[in-house]
Amino acid sequence: MHKTFLSACLAGTILAGLAAGAAAQQLVTTDRVGSPDAPNVLTMRANPNQSPNNPSPEQKAAFEKVWQAFAEAHPDWQIQFEFFGQDIGSEHARLLEQARAGRAPDCVTVDSFQLALFIKNGALKPLDDFFSQEEIDDLFPFIRDGITGSDGHIYAWWWGTDLRVLYRNTEIVADAPETWEELQNAALEAAESGVEGVLFNGGRWEGTTFDWLANFWAQGGQLVDEDGKPIFGEGENREKMLRAIDYFKGLVDSGAAPQRVATIKDYNDFNAAAIAGSAAMFFGGHWQYFQLQEAMPEEAFAKWDVSELPGPTADERATGTGGWTIAAFSDDAEKIEMCANVMREVYMGPANEVIGDLPTRESLFASLPKFQDPYFDKLKDYLVNGRARPGVPIYPEISNQIQIMMGEVLSGTKEPEAALDGAWNRVMDAYAKM
Amino acid sequence: MSQDAAVGAASRTGSRHKKAWHLAERPLVWLAPLTLLLFVTYVYPAIDVIRYSFTDATLLNPEYAYTTDSFKAVIRSPDLPGILWVTFAFVVASVILQLVLGLLVAMALHRGVRRRLPGVSVVRIIILSAWIVPGVAAGIVWQLMFNEASYGFLNAVLRGAGLSPVAWLSDPNIALWSAVIANVWRGTAFSMLLLYAGLVVIPSSLYEAASVDGATALKQFWYITLPQLRPILLINTVLISIFTLNTFDLILPLTGGGPGRATEVLALYTYNTVFRNFDLSNGAVLAVVLLLISIVFTLIYVRLLPREL
């Protein structure tokens, strides 16, 4: 009995020792990459899904392999992660305050449309030395413009982009609508059969502005001039704005879209409607294709197809392109270099394959195995009409006012002209103070 | 115990008494840590907010000048009257409903305890659990409940009962009341807790005497319960008014302030002004307005305390 007890204690001690050893050797945890004993520390803030803390088990497992390779290649470094919360706008505002006070993390994933704030405030370090001219020239033009400061230096690496597309249940809407009119007719016909014709973001969040702006851009509309001054409420741009507002208002007023679109502020609502079979079409992000594929039975998913967002005419098309960048906030040359290594070795390619965000370099789009698929071929064609949000400090307020304007119009509180005038006046008041 | 040890112990006790005596004589000494803590965590930030309200500071520009223009801009803002009205309606409706429902639940629980009904503790825990749910989580839960899609919970219930679905969040005239419902769901437990404490200390002899005199239940409630609860009711009103006035964590995930500005209360407007518009000085002015309203409520609270308790 005594021997048995001693043997059990010994076995337990050995197992505990092995487990402790394994934990000590673990190079990738949810908030650390590299050995905890590594002498050099790089602090990094990221969205959870762009880190080893990715909530999807499949992506997390794939990402861990990428980070493991990175940790093994840089044994003297450990990366300590912090994570952004849900409210990206306020998270970036806080980050700017931290950068001013010299307390920002060394390396941060920054939302592409917020990048200009940090460049213009001198919070970022130039990265020209870490990327070849060939790599920079290989970027899609709107990507290159987005990361280049007014002094010609590049201040971040925009590694992944996305775009908005029209999803449709082909059993209800067989042919892809190419124009606004075709979309409304198809949605009305679908609504008559008892489903919601078309869904889109209309609540108070960035997605509402961004998804809808494609309709303004498709007409050639400009939000700001070359100096970053808002011009969307004047002259031809005002007319184009009104046409784009009338388009969405017409969808709701005619019953092609339900009134509840004024409350939608999450792309997951579209997934839920598609899975429930309660909607015929929706304007969504390209990444939802994989979410639906994962969540729906094969035969149900086979009914869904993706096409380019309709335009006022079939020849006038645009789609909003977003995505994420990585920027170096540190003053330490070694940390800046390590941040650039993270950009190159983890995000430039490997992260695209893990997360599904589209590569921003044409050669990577053409060579990475994941993107050699008919679905991505289609997206690459749509990217030709891709438009990024202007990288100007006034954009967040323009977006805020467009969200309010859309809510007022879609809920019938205000007519489009009055709502647009309200948004324009408030944006100009804010611009005057900048 | 040896004599020396006894003397030593007495000496230590004497020393402690001496120290205690000194501390009692010098309240500043023992109040200092708390005062410092309050200054650092409350007073200093409040002073800084007031200072920023007299500037033209933005989050985009580290340089700023001192001016009263931000006050003028906020006062002249065409959005302010609507925001104040939405805030007023949200606070008044929430406070009234939290008081009434809190009182009803507290009375039901009190009666349950007195009759030793089984499950009273479980009911109390369930109600309190709504109070400990963070505002953001409550907002998300209610967003799912109010979802106007065919699979939205409340509309599914209405459809099941043969009733028409309601545009809970998309109709600007209903959205505010939906926000009130969510806030009342969260806040009623706090009211219940305070009022239950008040009910417990009402002497049962008062009710017994009233019963002997033939007073109905309604009369007992009107002439005994309500007057006895008056101080608790007043303090409860003031506290939940302050809590509701500062609510924005629940509304942000629920409606984001929309549609349009239909549910944008003053606290959310302040948050949006600073973190969406990067306008630190205007946001500071709005924060000062919130602070002033809260101070008024607090003064009422302080005035009520010594008199009524």
Side-chain angles (χ1 to χ4, degrees):
Chain A
M1 180 71 186
H2 185 63
K3 261 188 181 176
T4 314
F5 178 73
L6 278 178
S7 302
C9 283
L10 186 63
T13 308
I14 290 169
L15 283 174
L18 286 173
Q25 293 304 312
Q26 199 174 351
L27 292 180
V28 182
T29 67
T30 51
D31 61 357
R32 173 180 47 77
V33 166
S35 165
D37 304 324
N40 302 309
V41 176
L42 183 81
T43 54
M44 181 162 180
R45 187 174 299 166
N47 251 348
N49 76 319
Q50 300 161 354
S51 76
N53 197 18
N54 190 306
S56 153
E58 291 85 13
Q59 292 188 2
K60 185 182 172 72
F63 231 153
E64 275 174 358
K65 287 182 187 162
V66 177
W67 285 111
Q68 178 81 21
F70 184 86
E72 285 166 4
H74 304 280
D76 292 340
W77 285 83
Q78 58 169 304
I79 303 174
Q80 291 178 354
F81 278 93
E82 303 165 6
F83 301 107
F84 280 125
Q86 288 285 325
D87 190 355
I88 291 301
S90 61
E91 288 282 348
H92 282 72
R94 287 193 195 100
L95 178 62
L96 184 61
E97 279 299 283
Q98 282 186 300
R100 285 235 185 87
R103 291 184 287 106
D106 303 320
C107 194
V108 182
T109 62
V110 178
D111 200 334
S112 55
F113 83 96
Q114 299 271 8
L115 187 65
L117 277 182
F118 297 93
I119 296 177
K120 292 207 163 108
N121 277 276
L124 307 180
K125 302 296 173 291
L127 298 168
D128 309 66
D129 294 345
F130 304 103
F131 299 97
S132 70
Q133 195 56 47
E134 191 187 350
E135 285 170 333
I136 294 169
D137 291 343
D138 195 25
L139 291 166
F140 289 111
F142 71 90
I143 299 281
R144 198 165 47 237
D145 293 346
I147 59 172
T148 308
S150 55
D151 56 3
H153 292 293
I154 65 162
Y155 283 92
W157 191 256
W158 190 336
W159 57 273
T161 186
D162 51 41
L163 74 163
R164 275 68 194 155
V165 287
L166 174 66
Y167 287 79
R168 74 182 194 286
N169 183 330
T170 54
E171 216 170 52
I172 303 171
V173 182
D175 300 319
E178 295 194 347
T179 66
W180 294 352
E181 192 182 356
E182 284 177 16
L183 178 110
Q184 181 162 334
N185 291 337
L188 277 172
E189 209 171 300
E192 280 169 17
S193 68
V195 296
E196 293 172 317
V198 62
L199 298 177
F200 49 84
N201 280 306
R204 278 203 54 186
W205 82 301
E206 172 61 20
T208 293
T209 299
F210 191 26
D211 296 0
W212 171 82
L213 274 176
N215 302 298
F216 175 62
W217 287 327
Q219 304 170 68
Q222 300 283 338
L223 286 176
V224 296
D225 67 13
E226 286 177 357
D227 299 323
K229 184 185 172 197
I231 53 171
F232 69 85
E234 299 172 325
E236 279 187 11
N237 285 311
R238 178 184 155 81
E239 298 309 312
K240 288 168 184 169
M241 270 262 160
L242 286 173
R243 272 201 290 276
I245 300 168
D246 284 338
Y247 164 44
F248 267 32
K249 178 176 160 56
L251 290 175
V252 173
D253 289 352
S254 67
Q259 193 189 338
R260 80 174 180 99
V261 292
T263 70
I264 297 179
K265 51 190 187 73
D266 189 342
Y267 288 103
N268 287 327
D269 274 13
F270 307 142
N271 289 346
I275 292 164
S278 61
M281 295 181 281
F282 65 86
F283 302 143
H286 84 270
W287 64 89
Q288 290 180 265
Y289 183 85
F290 304 106
Q291 294 172 343
L292 290 178
Q293 192 172 29
E294 205 174 317
M296 294 171 96
E298 204 173 318
E299 64 276 16
F301 177 70
K303 294 175 190 168
W304 285 86
D305 197 7
V306 167
S307 60
E308 195 170 11
L309 292 178
T313 66
D315 297 329
E316 295 174 287
R317 312 287 272 269
T319 180
T321 49
W324 284 78
T325 70
I326 302 187
F329 285 72
S330 175
D331 292 322
D332 184 328
E334 285 190 358
K335 289 184 174 180
I336 297 170
E337 186 179 353
M338 189 48 56
C339 186
N341 289 336
V342 170
M343 296 174 198
R344 176 183 297 286
E345 295 168 35
V346 175
Y347 288 95
M348 192 197 290
N352 299 109
E353 293 218 275
V354 172
I355 302 172
D357 280 8
L358 306 175
T360 52
R361 287 175 56 191
E362 290 199 47
S363 63
L364 283 180
F365 216 137
S367 62
L368 289 175
K370 183 185 178 86
F371 300 98
Q372 311 316 307
D373 174 289
Y375 175 61
F376 288 108
D377 287 343
K378 240 187 329 192
L379 297 185
K380 197 177 175 190
D381 290 341
Y382 304 160
L383 266 183
V384 173
N385 294 320
R387 292 289 303 266
R389 289 158 284 188
V392 291
I394 190 66
Y395 176 77
E397 179 58 5
I398 292 177
S399 172
N400 183 35
Q401 291 301 333
I402 287 178
Q403 293 161 36
I404 293 168
M405 175 185 79
M406 292 302 294
E408 289 170 342
V409 170
L410 296 178
S411 64
T413 314
K414 279 188 183 174
E415 287 302 311
E417 288 83 358
L420 176 57
D421 289 342
W424 171 247
N425 291 334
R426 283 157 184 78
V427 166
M428 292 314 287
D429 285 347
Y431 182 73
K433 201 168 176 183
M434 284 183 171
Chain B
M1 188 186 283
S2 72
Q3 196 177 354
D4 285 351
V7 170
S11 162
R12 282 196 297 277
T13 313
S15 161
R16 274 203 299 274
H17 278 297
K18 203 174 174 186
K19 267 187 191 167
W21 183 81
H22 278 306
L23 284 176
E25 285 293 299
R26 295 179 171 81
L28 276 181
V29 174
W30 57 269
L31 278 175
L34 182 63
T35 308
L36 187 68
L37 184 74
L38 286 176
F39 184 83
V40 171
T41 56
Y42 285 93
V43 181
Y44 173 71
I47 289 172
D48 217 29
V49 166
I50 293 167
R51 184 176 69 80
Y52 272 122
S53 71
F54 287 100
T55 70
D56 59 0
T58 72
L59 288 181
L60 302 175
N61 188 355
E63 312 224 327
Y64 56 84
Y66 287 92
T67 171
T68 55
D69 285 354
S70 299
F71 277 92
K72 291 174 193 162
V74 168
I75 290 165
R76 287 176 193 153
S77 166
D79 298 325
L80 192 63
I83 299 288
L84 289 176
W85 167 247
V86 167
T87 309
F88 176 77
F90 179 71
V91 172
V92 170
S94 293
V95 168
I96 290 173
L97 286 172
Q98 282 177 52
L99 276 178
V100 172
L101 289 175
L103 183 57
L104 286 175
V105 175
M107 287 173 64
L109 276 177
H110 185 50
R111 184 63 63 93
V113 170
R114 282 173 61 186
R115 292 187 175 189
R116 301 182 181 211
L117 294 179
V120 171
S121 300
V122 176
V123 172
R124 196 160 39 193
I125 290 167
I126 289 171
I127 294 168
L128 279 175
S129 65
W131 184 46
I132 60 171
V133 169
V136 173
I140 291 169
V141 167
W142 278 96
Q143 221 246 350
L144 295 172
M145 301 277 277
F146 287 134
N147 195 314
E148 293 169 31
S150 56
Y151 44 82
F153 180 78
L154 288 177
N155 277 350
V157 170
L158 290 175
R159 281 195 192 93
L163 299 169
S164 299
V166 174
W168 296 104
L169 301 175
S170 65
D171 184 332
N173 298 316
I174 298 175
L176 181 62
W177 304 112
S178 302
V180 168
I181 290 171
N183 191 47
V184 168
W185 174 81
R186 189 174 60 143
T188 295
F190 179 76
S191 274
M192 180 274 286
L193 207 62
L194 282 188
L195 293 168
Y196 179 75
L199 285 172
V200 168
V201 295
I202 298 175
S204 56
S205 57
L206 291 176
Y207 292 106
E208 287 160 12
S211 291
V212 171
D213 289 345
T216 61
L218 192 64
K219 282 192 172 173
Q220 287 182 26
F221 172 74
W222 193 254
Y223 291 108
I224 300 173
T225 308
L226 275 187
Q228 290 290 318
L229 279 181
R230 186 171 169 265
I232 299 287
L233 279 169
L234 287 171
I235 287 163
N236 193 6
T237 305
V238 171
L239 287 178
I240 60 179
S241 298
I242 294 171
F243 294 157
T244 308
L245 184 69
N246 290 300
T247 296
F248 85 98
D249 53 348
L250 179 138
I251 296 178
L252 195 61
L254 183 64
T255 64
R261 290 193 187 277
T263 55
E264 191 166 6
V265 293
L266 190 55
L268 182 58
Y269 184 51
T270 306
Y271 175 85
N272 284 336
T273 301
V274 176
F275 291 109
R276 299 271 188 274
N277 198 7
F278 305 121
D279 194 335
L280 192 56
S281 52
N282 281 17
V285 172
L286 292 165
V288 168
V289 172
L290 266 175
L291 185 68
L292 289 175
I293 298 172
S294 294
I295 285 174
V296 170
F297 279 122
T298 309
L299 288 176
I300 296 170
Y301 176 74
V302 170
R303 194 170 162 78
L304 288 173
L305 270 179
R307 253 200 226 163
E308 302 286 1
L309 288 180

